[in-house]
Amino acid sequence: MAEFYAPWCGHCKRLTPEYTKLAEMVANDPMMSNFVQVVKADCDKHRSIGETFSVTGFPTLKILSRGIGIDESDSAFDYSGPRDAESMFNKLKSFVEQDKLVGRHEDMDKLAQDFMASEDKEAFLEKAKPETEKHIEGELYYLMMEKIVKKGDEYVEKEIGRIGRIIQKGSITRTKFADMVLKGNVLEAFVVATE
């Protein structure tokens, strides 16, 4: 989320405590901190940024789907909901939760859990191949199963952590970002639930 503001604007000054609280809430949430950045742009000092994003009043809040800046000005959209930290956080969280379902399939998620519970993962992998071929999402699930057989069950958590760190850095292309989110989402299906 990006706030476009002017330092002299009274509405901007009133938003500051809530926007600061939002940033703290995001930073303290393990899931959100991997996917959401809370940023500000002073449009008095950097008028061209405000112009690029079609800012006509202050403060303007916009949601950038990838958070990469000016390259995203065409796809950014206004946030027009309540401006308290909790409401903004909940809206952002709903977007992240929707994104976490991309690439997932209920049948494949069940197969992933059965695979993780299996004593003989190599044998399970052979039997799973026809099932994964029934679903467009199945190819990635099968690939993850192959990796787990090769690298061990710990691969799941290690790879989820690695993907989170790469996404957090933010210095990857849109395509690579989309691939990483998709892979991370599917890997989540392999996380063994603890009682």
Side-chain angles (χ1 to χ4, degrees), residues 11-159:
H11 295 294
C12 299
K13 290 176 184 175
R14 282 192 291 283
L15 178 62
T16 296
E18 291 298 318
Y19 202 67
T20 301
K21 183 177 176 185
L22 170 64
E24 291 166 359
M25 290 170 73
V26 166
N28 293 326
D29 185 290
M31 179 183 73
M32 293 288 284
S33 63
N34 278 326
F35 294 97
V36 176
Q37 294 179 343
V38 179
V39 298
K40 299 173 83 161
D42 180 342
C43 290
D44 252 8
K45 286 184 182 176
H46 308 284
R47 288 186 190 274
S48 63
I49 294 174
E51 291 167 5
T52 302
F53 283 91
S54 304
V55 173
T56 57
F58 302 113
T60 295
L61 297 175
K62 292 201 177 257
I63 296 176
L64 288 69
S65 62
R66 172 60 182 96
I68 57 173
I70 291 183
D71 292 342
E72 223 178 333
S73 62
D74 292 339
S75 62
F77 57 95
D78 289 342
Y79 170 79
S80 56
R83 293 187 173 196
D84 61 281
E86 288 79 13
S87 295
M88 291 185 288
F89 181 85
N90 289 335
K91 186 63 172 179
L92 292 171
K93 190 167 188 160
S94 75
F95 287 134
V96 170
E97 287 170 351
Q98 287 172 9
D99 283 350
K100 299 289 281 171
L101 298 176
V102 172
R104 300 280 294 268
H105 188 283
E106 190 176 324
D107 293 344
M108 293 293 93
D109 285 0
K110 169 110 176 63
L111 191 69
Q113 285 297 301
D114 292 347
F115 170 79
M116 293 305 288
S118 171
E119 293 293 319
D120 186 352
K121 289 186 173 46
E122 283 189 57
F124 190 100
L125 185 63
E126 283 183 42
K127 288 188 246 173
K129 180 78 170 163
E131 190 62 31
T132 61
E133 289 173 344
K134 293 179 186 176
H135 304 281
I136 193 164
E137 304 88 351
E139 184 179 350
L140 187 54
Y141 281 82
Y142 188 79
L143 178 65
M144 294 302 99
M145 288 181 208
E146 287 180 317
K147 296 265 188 177
I148 293 164
V149 165
K150 192 178 200 177
K151 298 183 178 195
D153 290 3
E154 61 278 356
Y155 169 79
V156 175
E157 293 294 340
K158 285 181 179 178
E159 189 66 1

